[in-house]
Amino acid sequence: MLSFSLFRSVIEDVGIGITSAGICGNQSTSESSTFNKFMEGFLSDIRVATPKTSDFYVSSIRTHSTGNVTLYAIAQCIENTTQTICQDCLNMAYNNIKDCVPNTEGRAIEMGCFMRYSGTPFFKDNQTTNIRQFLKEVDSSKVGILVAVIVGVGMIFLIISISLWFRLRKRSKAHKEDSSDLQAAVNFSYKDIQLATGNFSEEHIIGKGGFGEVYKAILHDKNVVAVKKLLVRHGRARVEFDNEVKLMSNIRHRNLVRVLGWSSEGPELLLVLEYMPNGSLDRFLWGEARGSLTWKQRFEIIFGIARGLAHLHHEFHIKIIHRDIKSANILIDEYFQPKIADFGLARFHSEDESHVSTKFAGTLGYTAPEYATHGHLSEKVDTYSFGVVALEIISGRRCNDMNSHRSDMYYLLEDAWRSYENNMHLKVVDENLDLNESEQEHVKKIMEIALTCTQSPVGIRPTMSEVVLMLSNERSLVRRMVGNKSTFITLDKKD
């Protein structure tokens, strides 16, 4: 299991204050001391119930006896663990988060688990878990609790031995499981990966990135995976490796690439990912498969990217900003569905902050101006990048390529804005697309949605959840949302 020290440094990087008492809000309740006991009791029940659930996840609501205050809480352990390890982790999280009381919000992030409470809901539709069934045995008698503690102390070495045995057994079977049955990242043997990639031979390379190559690997159980190799000599490689494993090993969404496992035994850091047979999106836009995508396929790719980002920003219990959305980081599966990949630069973002200031990281051309210029990071940075990628999908052009068939030479984004203002949307559309009349109208609508995502200032850009709704809407209601020339974003032209 990887250390969470880097996990904490990532959180510090986006400006969340961390103390030995946990991550606490800055507002406290004015309720009496009995309310503090109520809060601690609720969190303790969450701690007890979570390891007993089938997926190690609990979301619950409890109202104080006065009826004046309602408290919301969630807790989760990583899926590739045992009930005992989950319980031990949440015990540590509870000891940290209870120090936040009487503050109205607090959270604790430990090695392999997460706990949070707040006086406001986390989600629009706050689904809850009935935890009473998991607390009955605890509430039965104080004698039972005392006996459990005594037995627990007496059996601690046996539990550790059994836990280690199960983990070793699970590791030995990791490569015998079907990839569709993998539920979380596992630690692969370096030698097995080395063998599966033909000793990392060039003929197995399917992609290259800033920190190493990506290989196609066939495990001895015949499952095909992708192996991303990060060279240790690069200063940021370890940070990116830890970041990607922690972020993605427990996120499940059909438009996000799954991390199946890792290996840090050998000279390189290795990520084992699900294999995408069709490669990256840029291959279909300006690579060897250029022009092969129909408009229906392109729209589904745009829609899938939006859904993946909406999940990261609004549906997962921690807001995640990708920071490097571009066509090269969108992979295409065998059904031509998109999956967002490469989370090495991703960052957590506090829900109570409009933005944070941090060092720039990403790819110029896809980066929002407020981030590239001032380092202001928010989820709207991903929204901007999404808009640029959507325009690339519509046009079949790179964002930094100038139009080559017109006398007035502009980069893609500027060209799209000018075409929109002159009601000449179709001049931007990929010439390889043979669109009928209804498809032409649909393309115009999607182009307008993409342009709303690239507006400045940042406050008038939609959220990715709003983008998903607009893409789902049959009517084109976005024309009024697209800015006029006063919101036009000027790009520097080549000399």
Side-chain angles (χ1 to χ4, degrees):
M1 193 70 68
L2 298 173
S3 168
F4 254 32
S5 59
L6 287 171
F7 182 86
R8 291 180 177 273
S9 70
V10 168
I11 298 175
E12 289 174 340
D13 184 48
V14 298
I16 302 176
I18 297 180
T19 69
S20 60
I23 308 168
C24 306
N26 54 16
Q27 294 183 350
S28 59
T29 178
S30 58
E31 297 288 331
S32 64
S33 58
T34 58
F35 180 72
N36 296 347
K37 294 181 180 180
F38 156 74
M39 295 174 72
E40 291 184 7
F42 183 30
L43 294 174
S44 180
D45 288 346
I46 295 293
R47 160 185 70 166
V48 171
T50 302
K52 299 177 182 179
T53 62
S54 60
D55 55 359
F56 298 141
Y57 173 80
V58 158
S59 174
S60 188
I61 302 173
R62 187 171 295 181
T63 302
H64 189 229
S65 57
T66 61
N68 296 329
V69 181
T70 298
L71 202 62
Y72 303 81
I74 57 175
Q76 184 176 16
C77 293
I78 60 174
E79 294 182 54
N80 60 328
T81 189
T82 65
Q83 181 176 339
T84 301
I85 295 174
C86 178
Q87 185 66 75
D88 291 342
C89 184
L90 286 174
N91 287 342
M92 291 187 291
Y94 170 75
N95 289 333
N96 286 333
I97 201 173
K98 71 177 183 179
D99 292 334
C100 291
V101 177
N103 289 7
T104 56
E105 183 171 357
R107 69 187 78 182
I109 303 172
E110 298 296 337
M111 177 61 180
C113 67
F114 175 86
M115 181 181 285
R116 180 182 177 188
Y117 77 88
S118 177
T120 57
F122 303 120
F123 318 108
K124 291 182 179 180
D125 182 15
N126 216 85
Q127 299 180 355
T128 61
T129 307
N130 181 9
I131 64 174
R132 289 186 178 181
Q133 56 182 317
F134 304 112
L135 302 176
K136 290 180 180 179
E137 58 187 88
V138 176
D139 294 334
S140 60
S141 69
K142 294 183 179 179
V143 175
I145 296 176
L146 180 60
V147 170
V149 171
I150 295 173
V151 172
V153 173
M155 298 293 290
I156 186 168
F157 291 107
L158 179 60
I159 292 173
I160 293 174
S161 299
I162 294 174
S163 177
L164 288 173
W165 181 81
F166 272 111
R167 292 180 68 181
L168 290 172
R169 184 171 179 265
K170 182 176 182 179
R171 178 176 171 180
S172 67
K173 289 185 175 181
H175 309 299
K176 298 180 182 179
E177 297 177 352
D178 185 83
S179 61
S180 62
D181 294 328
L182 289 172
Q183 296 299 310
V186 296
N187 193 347
F188 281 84
S189 163
Y190 178 84
K191 291 183 178 180
D192 286 346
I193 297 179
Q194 188 178 32
L195 179 64
T197 57
N199 197 22
F200 302 103
S201 63
E202 290 190 7
E203 64 184 31
H204 283 259
I205 294 178
I206 56 176
K208 293 186 178 181
F211 294 100
E213 295 81 19
V214 181
Y215 298 83
K216 179 180 179 180
I218 303 176
L219 302 177
H220 56 66
D221 61 0
K222 306 304 180 183
N223 284 319
V224 181
V225 298
V227 176
K228 181 178 178 181
K229 181 169 69 174
L230 300 175
L231 302 180
V232 178
R233 66 174 180 266
H234 291 289
R236 279 169 39 204
R238 170 66 72 171
V239 175
E240 294 213 358
F241 179 82
D242 280 42
N243 207 22
E244 194 153 1
V245 170
K246 294 183 183 76
L247 282 174
M248 299 310 300
S249 61
N250 287 288
I251 297 180
R252 296 289 181 271
H253 192 275
R254 61 179 174 176
N255 297 119
L256 302 175
V257 169
R258 286 184 60 193
V259 173
L260 304 177
W262 77 92
S263 173
S264 57
E265 298 173 355
E268 296 93 11
L269 304 173
L270 304 174
L271 272 178
V272 181
L273 311 168
E274 60 177 324
Y275 176 66
M276 296 289 106
N278 284 318
S280 58
L281 173 61
D282 54 357
R283 172 175 172 265
F284 292 91
L285 299 182
W286 44 77
E288 63 270 24
R290 179 175 184 175
S292 60
L293 292 176
T294 65
W295 169 243
K296 181 179 179 181
Q297 289 172 321
R298 297 187 194 213
F299 171 72
E300 289 300 323
I301 290 171
I302 292 172
F303 196 17
I305 298 170
R307 286 185 296 192
L309 286 174
H311 183 75
L312 293 175
H313 293 177
H314 310 294
E315 297 169 8
F316 197 55
H317 63 258
I318 302 175
K319 183 184 295 185
I320 298 174
I321 304 175
H322 188 280
R323 292 208 299 175
D324 199 20
I325 294 297
K326 56 184 178 182
S327 295
N329 286 341
I330 306 299
L331 303 184
I332 308 298
D333 69 11
E334 63 270 30
Y335 305 108
F336 287 88
Q337 290 298 309
K339 290 179 181 284
I340 300 172
D342 201 343
F343 284 77
L345 297 181
R347 290 291 180 267
F348 298 104
H349 185 61
S350 177
E351 295 179 0
D352 58 357
E353 293 177 308
S354 61
H355 73 273
V356 296
S357 295
T358 185
K359 293 180 180 179
F360 168 76
T363 304
L364 292 176
Y366 298 92
T367 307
E370 75 278 0
Y371 183 43
T373 305
H374 304 292
H376 291 174
L377 178 65
S378 71
E379 72 270 21
K380 298 294 184 69
V381 167
D382 284 349
T383 301
Y384 182 96
S385 302
F386 164 81
V388 175
V389 171
L391 292 175
E392 288 185 328
I393 295 172
I394 291 170
S395 67
R397 289 167 50 188
R398 291 184 176 91
C399 62
N400 55 0
D401 283 350
M402 302 186 77
N403 54 323
S404 57
H405 302 295
R406 291 163 55 181
S407 59
D408 49 347
M409 304 288 282
Y410 300 110
Y411 290 116
L412 174 58
L413 181 56
E414 189 173 6
D415 197 21
W417 271 103
R418 290 179 181 272
S419 298
Y420 161 75
E421 291 176 333
N422 294 316
N423 197 26
M424 301 171 67
H425 303 61
L426 298 181
K427 284 193 173 183
V428 181
V429 176
D430 190 346
E431 60 186 12
N432 291 299
L433 284 174
D434 183 17
L435 303 175
N436 58 38
E437 185 174 347
S438 63
E439 287 177 328
Q440 290 178 6
E441 291 303 313
H442 194 215
V443 168
K444 289 181 181 180
K445 171 188 173 182
I446 305 309
M447 181 175 168
E448 291 172 358
I449 293 175
L451 289 176
T452 67
C453 297
T454 65
Q455 295 181 106
S456 288
V458 62
I460 60 176
R461 283 178 217 151
T463 65
M464 288 311 303
S465 292
E466 292 169 338
V467 172
V468 170
L469 289 175
M470 286 191 286
L471 290 171
S472 302
N473 195 346
E474 291 298 326
R475 298 180 180 178
S476 180
L477 300 177
V478 298
R479 184 177 294 272
R480 62 181 177 82
M481 299 181 62
V482 180
N484 54 28
K485 287 188 177 182
S486 63
T487 61
F488 187 84
I489 301 171
T490 302
L491 301 178
D492 294 333
K493 299 183 180 67
K494 294 181 179 178
D495 295 332

